[in-house]
mmCIF file of all heavy atoms in Angstrom:
data_model
loop_
_atom_site.group_PDB
_atom_site.id
_atom_site.type_symbol
_atom_site.label_atom_id
_atom_site.label_comp_id
_atom_site.label_asym_id
_atom_site.label_seq_id
_atom_site.Cartn_x
_atom_site.Cartn_y
_atom_site.Cartn_z
ATOM 1 N N ASP A 38 3.016 0.964 1.928
ATOM 2 C CA ASP A 38 4.261 0.573 2.600
ATOM 3 C C ASP A 38 5.564 0.994 1.816
ATOM 4 O O ASP A 38 6.539 0.224 1.781
ATOM 5 C CB ASP A 38 4.296 -0.915 2.842
ATOM 6 C CG ASP A 38 3.206 -1.369 3.770
ATOM 7 O OD1 ASP A 38 2.297 -0.586 4.031
ATOM 8 O OD2 ASP A 38 3.221 -2.560 4.158
ATOM 9 N N PHE A 43 11.658 -1.498 3.151
ATOM 10 C CA PHE A 43 11.265 -2.195 1.978
ATOM 11 C C PHE A 43 12.028 -1.709 0.725
ATOM 12 O O PHE A 43 11.752 -2.191 -0.389
ATOM 13 C CB PHE A 43 9.775 -2.088 1.740
ATOM 14 C CG PHE A 43 8.950 -2.797 2.769
ATOM 15 C CD1 PHE A 43 7.979 -2.146 3.492
ATOM 16 C CD2 PHE A 43 9.188 -4.109 3.137
ATOM 17 C CE1 PHE A 43 7.186 -2.795 4.456
ATOM 18 C CE2 PHE A 43 8.445 -4.856 4.016
ATOM 19 C CZ PHE A 43 7.426 -4.132 4.730
ATOM 20 N N LEU A 49 14.325 -5.507 4.702
ATOM 21 C CA LEU A 49 13.588 -6.431 3.914
ATOM 22 C C LEU A 49 13.373 -5.750 2.538
ATOM 23 O O LEU A 49 12.225 -5.525 2.062
ATOM 24 C CB LEU A 49 12.222 -6.703 4.612
ATOM 25 C CG LEU A 49 11.189 -7.642 3.976
ATOM 26 C CD1 LEU A 49 11.780 -8.868 3.397
ATOM 27 C CD2 LEU A 49 10.100 -8.044 4.984
ATOM 28 N N ASP A 80 3.630 -0.232 7.568
ATOM 29 C CA ASP A 80 3.855 -1.368 8.574
ATOM 30 C C ASP A 80 4.319 -0.659 9.781
ATOM 31 O O ASP A 80 5.292 0.158 9.721
ATOM 32 C CB ASP A 80 4.887 -2.310 7.980
ATOM 33 C CG ASP A 80 4.385 -3.659 7.598
ATOM 34 O OD1 ASP A 80 3.161 -3.890 7.725
ATOM 35 O OD2 ASP A 80 5.191 -4.464 7.298
ATOM 36 N N HIS A 82 5.203 -2.157 13.204
ATOM 37 C CA HIS A 82 5.267 -3.319 14.111
ATOM 38 C C HIS A 82 5.828 -2.988 15.467
ATOM 39 O O HIS A 82 6.680 -2.139 15.657
ATOM 40 C CB HIS A 82 6.237 -4.375 13.491
ATOM 41 C CG HIS A 82 5.723 -5.037 12.215
ATOM 42 N ND1 HIS A 82 4.630 -5.799 12.188
ATOM 43 C CD2 HIS A 82 6.192 -5.019 10.876
ATOM 44 C CE1 HIS A 82 4.459 -6.268 10.906
ATOM 45 N NE2 HIS A 82 5.375 -5.745 10.120
ATOM 46 N N HIS A 88 5.341 -12.027 13.658
ATOM 47 C CA HIS A 88 5.570 -11.766 12.238
ATOM 48 C C HIS A 88 7.026 -11.933 11.837
ATOM 49 O O HIS A 88 7.407 -12.178 10.735
ATOM 50 C CB HIS A 88 5.119 -10.345 11.964
ATOM 51 C CG HIS A 88 5.186 -9.871 10.574
ATOM 52 N ND1 HIS A 88 4.341 -10.341 9.576
ATOM 53 C CD2 HIS A 88 5.886 -8.904 9.988
ATOM 54 C CE1 HIS A 88 4.626 -9.685 8.445
ATOM 55 N NE2 HIS A 88 5.556 -8.833 8.670
ATOM 56 N N TRP A 96 9.616 -13.356 8.480
ATOM 57 C CA TRP A 96 10.357 -12.242 7.978
ATOM 58 C C TRP A 96 11.451 -11.681 8.927
ATOM 59 O O TRP A 96 11.315 -11.787 10.138
ATOM 60 C CB TRP A 96 9.362 -11.039 7.739
ATOM 61 C CG TRP A 96 8.232 -11.445 6.896
ATOM 62 C CD1 TRP A 96 6.966 -11.724 7.259
ATOM 63 C CD2 TRP A 96 8.280 -11.619 5.477
ATOM 64 N NE1 TRP A 96 6.184 -12.000 6.197
ATOM 65 C CE2 TRP A 96 7.002 -11.945 5.051
ATOM 66 C CE3 TRP A 96 9.279 -11.497 4.513
ATOM 67 C CZ2 TRP A 96 6.629 -12.273 3.713
ATOM 68 C CZ3 TRP A 96 8.956 -11.777 3.207
ATOM 69 C CH2 TRP A 96 7.678 -12.163 2.825
ATOM 70 N N HIS A 99 11.692 -5.771 10.538
ATOM 71 C CA HIS A 99 11.594 -4.647 9.654
ATOM 72 C C HIS A 99 10.411 -3.756 10.159
ATOM 73 O O HIS A 99 9.514 -4.172 10.922
ATOM 74 C CB HIS A 99 11.191 -5.112 8.226
ATOM 75 C CG HIS A 99 9.893 -5.854 8.171
ATOM 76 N ND1 HIS A 99 9.752 -7.208 8.475
ATOM 77 C CD2 HIS A 99 8.660 -5.442 7.902
ATOM 78 C CE1 HIS A 99 8.565 -7.511 8.389
ATOM 79 N NE2 HIS A 99 7.797 -6.529 8.048
ATOM 80 N N LYS A 123 -0.572 -0.054 10.391
ATOM 81 C CA LYS A 123 -1.110 -1.433 10.377
ATOM 82 C C LYS A 123 -0.082 -2.351 11.013
ATOM 83 O O LYS A 123 1.080 -1.978 11.194
ATOM 84 C CB LYS A 123 -1.539 -1.886 9.035
ATOM 85 C CG LYS A 123 -0.388 -1.976 7.963
ATOM 86 C CD LYS A 123 -0.906 -2.246 6.637
ATOM 87 C CE LYS A 123 0.145 -2.345 5.646
ATOM 88 N NZ LYS A 123 1.129 -3.460 5.823
ATOM 89 N N TYR A 132 -0.942 -7.581 6.748
ATOM 90 C CA TYR A 132 -0.621 -7.240 5.378
ATOM 91 C C TYR A 132 -1.480 -6.149 4.711
ATOM 92 O O TYR A 132 -1.014 -5.311 4.001
ATOM 93 C CB TYR A 132 -0.598 -8.471 4.506
ATOM 94 C CG TYR A 132 0.465 -9.518 4.871
ATOM 95 C CD1 TYR A 132 0.163 -10.865 5.132
ATOM 96 C CD2 TYR A 132 1.865 -9.229 4.980
ATOM 97 C CE1 TYR A 132 1.094 -11.796 5.458
ATOM 98 C CE2 TYR A 132 2.823 -10.144 5.268
ATOM 99 C CZ TYR A 132 2.385 -11.401 5.553
ATOM 100 O OH TYR A 132 3.336 -12.355 5.760
ATOM 101 N N LEU A 162 4.444 -1.331 -2.159
ATOM 102 C CA LEU A 162 5.284 -2.488 -1.899
ATOM 103 C C LEU A 162 4.550 -3.328 -0.829
ATOM 104 O O LEU A 162 4.014 -2.842 0.126
ATOM 105 C CB LEU A 162 6.641 -2.037 -1.306
ATOM 106 C CG LEU A 162 7.382 -0.991 -2.206
ATOM 107 C CD1 LEU A 162 8.581 -0.442 -1.435
ATOM 108 C CD2 LEU A 162 7.689 -1.591 -3.508
ATOM 109 N N ALA A 163 4.574 -4.602 -0.963
ATOM 110 C CA ALA A 163 5.067 -5.350 -2.107
ATOM 111 C C ALA A 163 3.948 -6.027 -2.796
ATOM 112 O O ALA A 163 2.953 -6.432 -2.151
ATOM 113 C CB ALA A 163 6.086 -6.352 -1.654
ATOM 114 N N TYR A 166 2.536 -9.261 -1.300
ATOM 115 C CA TYR A 166 2.051 -9.375 0.137
ATOM 116 C C TYR A 166 1.071 -8.279 0.432
ATOM 117 O O TYR A 166 -0.131 -8.409 0.378
ATOM 118 C CB TYR A 166 3.218 -9.368 1.153
ATOM 119 C CG TYR A 166 3.930 -10.742 0.998
ATOM 120 C CD1 TYR A 166 4.959 -10.956 0.130
ATOM 121 C CD2 TYR A 166 3.415 -11.810 1.740
ATOM 122 C CE1 TYR A 166 5.522 -12.210 0.008
ATOM 123 C CE2 TYR A 166 3.929 -13.084 1.586
ATOM 124 C CZ TYR A 166 4.950 -13.300 0.705
ATOM 125 O OH TYR A 166 5.496 -14.531 0.591
ATOM 126 N N CYS A 167 1.651 -7.063 0.772
ATOM 127 C CA CYS A 167 0.664 -6.005 1.311
ATOM 128 C C CYS A 167 -0.155 -5.403 0.199
ATOM 129 O O CYS A 167 -1.318 -5.052 0.439
ATOM 130 C CB CYS A 167 1.515 -4.964 2.065
ATOM 131 S SG CYS A 167 2.113 -5.681 3.618
ATOM 132 N N VAL A 168 0.351 -5.313 -1.000
ATOM 133 C CA VAL A 168 -0.434 -4.720 -2.094
ATOM 134 C C VAL A 168 -1.567 -5.667 -2.364
ATOM 135 O O VAL A 168 -2.726 -5.324 -2.462
ATOM 136 C CB VAL A 168 0.443 -4.493 -3.308
ATOM 137 C CG1 VAL A 168 -0.481 -4.100 -4.535
ATOM 138 C CG2 VAL A 168 1.416 -3.306 -3.021
ATOM 139 N N VAL A 192 8.333 -8.819 -3.617
ATOM 140 C CA VAL A 192 9.412 -9.479 -2.865
ATOM 141 C C VAL A 192 9.979 -10.590 -3.590
ATOM 142 O O VAL A 192 11.219 -10.807 -3.652
ATOM 143 C CB VAL A 192 8.926 -9.923 -1.474
ATOM 144 C CG1 VAL A 192 10.005 -10.609 -0.689
ATOM 145 C CG2 VAL A 192 8.258 -8.832 -0.646
HETATM 146 C C1 LIG B 322 5.284 -6.872 3.364
HETATM 147 C C2 LIG B 322 6.536 -8.770 3.753
HETATM 148 C C3 LIG B 322 6.449 -8.684 5.130
HETATM 149 C C4 LIG B 322 4.770 -5.886 2.444
HETATM 150 C C5 LIG B 322 5.208 -6.706 4.755
HETATM 151 O O1 LIG B 322 4.659 -4.648 2.752
HETATM 152 O O2 LIG B 322 4.333 -6.321 1.351
HETATM 153 N N1 LIG B 322 5.976 -7.921 2.902
HETATM 154 N N2 LIG B 322 5.771 -7.601 5.642
#
Side-chain angles (χ1 to χ4, degrees):
D38 300 8
F43 294 126
L49 180 41
D80 247 5
H82 292 295
H88 182 69
W96 305 105
H99 62 277
K123 63 189 180 62
Y132 291 126
L162 308 173
Y166 289 92
C167 290
V168 171
V192 179

